[in-house]
Structure formats: structure tokens, C-alpha cells
Amino acid sequence: MTPVSLARPRALEPGDRVAVLCVSGPVEPGALAAGLDALRFAGLDPVTYPSAHDPGTMRRYLAGDDAMRAGDLRSALTDPGIAGIMFARGGYGAQRTLEAMDWDGLAGIRPKVVAGYSDITAVLEAVAVRLGWASVFGPMVAIREGAAHYSFGSLLRTLMRPGQATVIQYPQAVAVVPGAARGVTTGGTLSLLVSSLGTGTSRPARDGIVLLEDVGEEDYRIDRMLTQLRRSGYLDGVAGIVAGTFTDCGPPEAIQDILTERLAPLGVPMIAGANVGHGGQVQAFPYGIAAEFDAGAATLRLLEPPLS
Amino acid sequence: MTPVSLARPRALEPGDRVAVLCVSGPVEPGALAAGLDALRFAGLDPVTYPSAHDPGTMRRYLAGDDAMRAGDLRSALTDPGIAGIMFARGGYGAQRTLEAMDWDGLAGIRPKVVAGYSDITAVLEAVAVRLGWASVFGPMVAIREGAAHYSFGSLLRTLMRPGQATVIQYPQAVAVVPGAARGVTTGGTLSLLVSSLGTGTSRPARDGIVLLEDVGEEDYRIDRMLTQLRRSGYLDGVAGIVAGTFTDCGPPEAIQDILTERLAPLGVPMIAGANVGHGGQVQAFPYGIAAEFDAGAATLRLLEPPLS
């Protein structure tokens, strides 16, 4: 069966207006300013929304209240003058935003860029389930880490020159289960995939090349979450597995051992240690794109550009 | 509608043989020995299973491998010479045990006591879903805390003199939403309820008086888990809410604020701060029993003894 991509947005071009908002935690203004400058340097015109300026009014870990965040997201999705949506930062709050979100009347609108990761995993799943859109799992706007240039560069290349971003190589990765498979890219941050299980915006990995990565989770929690993915049926029929970074989750060998023990028995091509996710030099991971995955070569070849 | 209890096991009597096993993490021998002595002091005859002696052979956080733990559980459930099952300790591993568990041929057997909490929440849900049994949310066998006498006493009174355990009062609790409701007791440790969402052994709280408690979870994680319970439909139609201890989850006022903000809008009677769960002097919470809950009086009155 030939995998079919979700609806792809058009690539971003210089001069495009890009919404910058928060569906999760409040962003530190200095880090946000640096990211906005990077977007402007790339020729984009970032437009900040109220949630990107809220200091945690309702609760220290939330940018604004649920209505503000959901309103910003809906507004950015529907505004024809906005070419793409990027998220100021992650943290926690996307689940609440999705609970408050009104999807009425959005089904027919033209796909636009949606890019983020970590807590935004829940949003990438939601726009795939509710709108049928492809998106991009990649860095947030607020720049806080040393390797931001690499990661941001990978994201902007994907968003602005998608024709040059169809072959993704993971030189640091190891093949856990060799072999090749075709499927549609999916998944994201493990704890967020798990936090949407049982809800209307979870998107099971069937026929997919699934990304799994995380940050700051203890070994037994990684084990528990992988076990829940197995038990819930999320992984039924998965075509391939890309295990990315597991940063601050304890010794990498221990985590790889758990990943292997829980996932290799599924018998599909799998790599571990790919530079996608939280961590230093990470690559953007297009979501919802038909791809051919070669675990032995640690290569993900998209069958078409991730944006049109 | 009159709530109907799940199938109740008979009360334990002096001389009864009680299986002691692990479906989760390995138990420290000294703590286990103290608990076994307490059971013997109450007149019971504890029988330890292999998983109660495994030091973490497969993985430091697991007692034995999945086959050993699931085999011990099945063996204890089916052995007619075993009157009840108590768990040596919690930790993590119940989800894996349930994944490995073979329930074939168990549907018709006579109910027996199943008692535990924390990670065992998943087992209480599973025996309710698969076998239709009531059980008891209460302390583990391995004694590690100072207030164990109180907690263990509450458990043993429930198991051995259930006729005297039908009125449960929560003197430290506050009424978040006053009012009274009837329902069947359910729920348990929040993170474990969430870890079973989407699986075949989750038991939604519809028509239930739901217990929620936890240990060692950050505020935003409590928020995320409550939000997932809401979004997944787990809380649809819930009749009442007993929020127990949230130990080592940050300032109690902050947690109560989150509990109130996420749960009070459901509009059902609710208390917070009940002494059930992790923490010091905690009471056993019969699971699957028809009850009348009065939030204003902070009282849970079982409509029949929790064991027959």
C-alpha cells in the first residue's frame, strides 16, 4: 500500500506573516525576542498574539487562561493573512487548550504551517485528526539552548525550502531492528502522546513511521508510557519506529535497553538515538508525510516535499 | 437509581491463607518480614510467592519478569486454598503484569479479597473489569512508614470485620462542593488511573464515587492528568469525588486549588484532603461498593459491608 500524506501547507516565503502564540506555558520575553529576531532574519514577519505576552496570570505554568490560548489558536488558524503558526514555547497547557478549543467551521480551511514540539505534540495530533493537516515537529520560537542555530536552521529549511528537506539522515542513530518500511510520519513527544490517549485528538500510529522522544522522565515512567502505548492499541499496525533523544531521562544505555525491550518485539524497522526531539542539535521531523524509512541506513526519505 | 456493588468476597477469618506477591517493584526483605508478622499477629497465614522474593533480577524496578508476576497473580487467583491476595509493595510494573496476564478461565471463580493501592490501582480496576469483583484500596504488606499501625489496622478491620467498617469519616477533609450522592466506589491513585486510559482494564467513573490521590507528582502533572481524565470521558457521569492525600506534590493549597478548578465544575459532591492514599494515617477505601457520600458531612456510608 502506498502511504498518502496528510494535506500539506504551502511553503513559507519571505514576507509571510507568521503567528507566534502560546498554547502552553508563559514565555520569557528575552528568549522570545531572540527567536523573533531569528524569524525576521529569515525574512518572515512574526506576529505575536496575547498568549505570547502573558506572564502566567492565571497560573504560573499557564500562558493566560484556556479561553485566551484557545482563542489565539483559533484566530491564527482562521486569519487568511497568517501563513503559518509557530509556538513561543512548550511546557504544559496544550491539553487544556484543546479542551477549550472550538473547531466548528474550521474543517474546510486551507492548510497552513503548524510547527512546534514537546507539549505541541498534542496540537500536531489535533490538527491532523480535526483538519487532516500535515505539520512539522520542530523547535519553538523562544531560543534558550546553545545549539539553537542548528535546530532553527533545520526547521526554517524545512518550512522555506521543503524541496531540499526530503532526505533526513540520523548519523548518530543505531539500528535496533534493521529493515525498511513505508508509512506516514507521526508521533512526537512520548509523554504527550500518552497524555492524549483516550481523547478525541489522539492519532494512533497505524501504518505510520512513529517518532518517540522525551525529556526529564525517569526510566520506569518511560517504561510505563511505552507499555500504555502498547496496551492501548496506539502502536497496533505501526510500520516503523524512530526513537529520538531522551534527554535527562537517566543513562542513555538504560533508556535504549527499555526502548528495545518494549518496542523491538513489534518486529518493525526501528532506530534509536536519532537527533530529533529535546536536546542539542536536533532536526525538524515533518509530521503526516508519506515516507520511506530505512533503519539499517538510518535514513528517512520523504516521498514528497513536506510542504507544497 | 440504586447503586449495585460489584461481587463481594467473603471476609477474612483467622487461619485464612493469604497470598503475598508483587506485581510491581521488588520488595525489601526486612520491610516485608515486618508486614508478614503483622498479618500473622492478626491471625492470618501469609503465603509468599516467588515475586515477593525477587530482588529485581530483570530490571531494578521490577520484581522478576512479567511472566513470573502474572503467573503469581493468576496462581493466587485460582488457588482455592487462598482466601485473599495482598501485595508486597507498589512502585511500577502492574501495567506490564496486566499485559502479560492470561484471564482465560477465570471469569467464573468465586470472588476473593484483593487489597492494595498505588500501582495496584491498575489491578483493582482489572479485577473489577475482568472478573466483576469488589476489592479494597489499602496499604501494602511491606511496612515502611511510621503510621503503619493506623493504616494497617484500618485495612485489617475492613477485611476481617467488614460489618464494622461501613461508615467512613474524613475529619480532615473540606467540602469543595457540598451535597450528597449515591454511587459505587471506584478510582484510586490518579497517575495509575491515567496510565490505564485507553486500555482494556480501565474502568470509567460513571455513576461512581471516585477516589483520586497521588504521591510525588508536580502540580502541572496533576493538572495534566485531571485534564486527561476529563477529556477522555473517564469522569463523564461521575456521581461524587473523594480527593485524598497528594503527598509530596508541592504545597497542599496549590494542589487543592488545581483539584477545585478542574473538578468542581463537574458539579457533583466533592471533598478534598481526605486521609486516603499515600501519606501518614490513611484509611482503607473499599472499591466497587454501593455507597452514599455526603460531602458536607465528609462521610462515606457503605450501603452494605464491603465484604460478605
Side-chain angles (χ1 to χ4, degrees), chain A residues 15 18 37 49 86 89 122 134-135 152 192 198 243 256 268 274 304:
Chain A
V18 175
D37 279 347
Y49 280 54
M86 299 178 73
R89 65 159 289 217
S135 56
F152 227 66
L192 275 301
Q256 190 177 323
V268 300
E304 58 187 339

Side-chain angles (χ1 to χ4, degrees), chain B residues 1-116:
Chain B
M1 196 184 67
T2 305
V4 179
S5 300
L6 298 179
R8 295 176 302 152
R10 76 161 173 81
L12 294 182
E13 293 166 6
D16 273 345
R17 296 174 76 232
V18 174
V20 175
L21 52 90
C22 284
V23 295
S24 311
V27 67
E28 195 272 304
L32 178 62
L36 295 175
D37 280 346
L39 292 178
R40 290 187 193 106
F41 190 76
L44 300 172
D45 180 12
V47 181
T48 58
Y49 281 54
S51 56
H53 300 293
D54 186 280
T57 309
M58 172 189 169
R59 214 179 277 294
R60 79 169 163 70
Y61 56 75
L62 294 173
D65 60 19
D66 301 351
M68 174 192 277
R69 295 194 309 283
D72 280 3
L73 179 58
R74 185 180 165 94
S75 171
L77 285 166
T78 53
D79 182 347
I82 291 291
I85 302 172
M86 299 178 72
F87 297 88
R89 66 159 289 221
Y92 164 70
Q95 300 289 333
R96 295 179 61 120
T97 304
L98 292 174
E99 189 182 38
M101 181 72 184
D102 173 14
W103 297 93
D104 276 1
L106 296 184
I109 62 176
R110 187 194 302 263
K112 60 181 70 176
V113 165
V114 178

Side-chain angles (χ1 to χ4, degrees), chain B residues 90-142:
Chain B
Y92 164 70
Q95 300 289 333
R96 295 179 61 120
T97 304
L98 292 174
E99 189 182 38
M101 181 72 184
D102 173 14
W103 297 93
D104 276 1
L106 296 184
I109 62 176
R110 187 194 302 263
K112 60 181 70 176
V113 165
V114 178
Y117 81 129
S118 196
D119 204 40
I120 306 304
T121 296
V123 178
L124 305 189
E125 286 196 290
V127 299
V129 169
R130 299 284 187 190
L131 307 177
W133 293 4
S135 55
V136 178
F137 183 93
M140 308 297 198
V141 176

Side-chain angles (χ1 to χ4, degrees), chain A residues 22 25-33 51-56 63 88-89 141-144:
Chain A
C22 283
V27 67
E28 194 272 304
L32 178 62
S51 56
H53 300 294
D54 186 280
R89 65 159 289 217
V141 176
I143 293 177
R144 285 191 296 190

Side-chain angles (χ1 to χ4, degrees), chain A residues 22-25 61-62 69 87 89-98 116-125 137 140 188-193 195-196 213-215 278, chain B residues 220 224:
Chain A
C22 283
V23 295
S24 311
Y61 55 75
L62 293 173
R69 296 194 310 282
F87 297 87
R89 65 159 289 217
Y92 164 71
Q95 300 289 334
R96 295 180 62 122
T97 304
L98 291 174
Y117 81 129
S118 196
D119 203 42
I120 307 304
T121 295
V123 178
L124 305 189
E125 285 196 291
F137 183 93
M140 309 297 199
T189 302
L190 174 58
S191 53
L192 275 301
L193 296 173
S195 293
S196 286
E213 68 86 33
D214 219 320
V215 64
H278 293 76
Chain B
Y220 79 92
R224 188 168 73 191

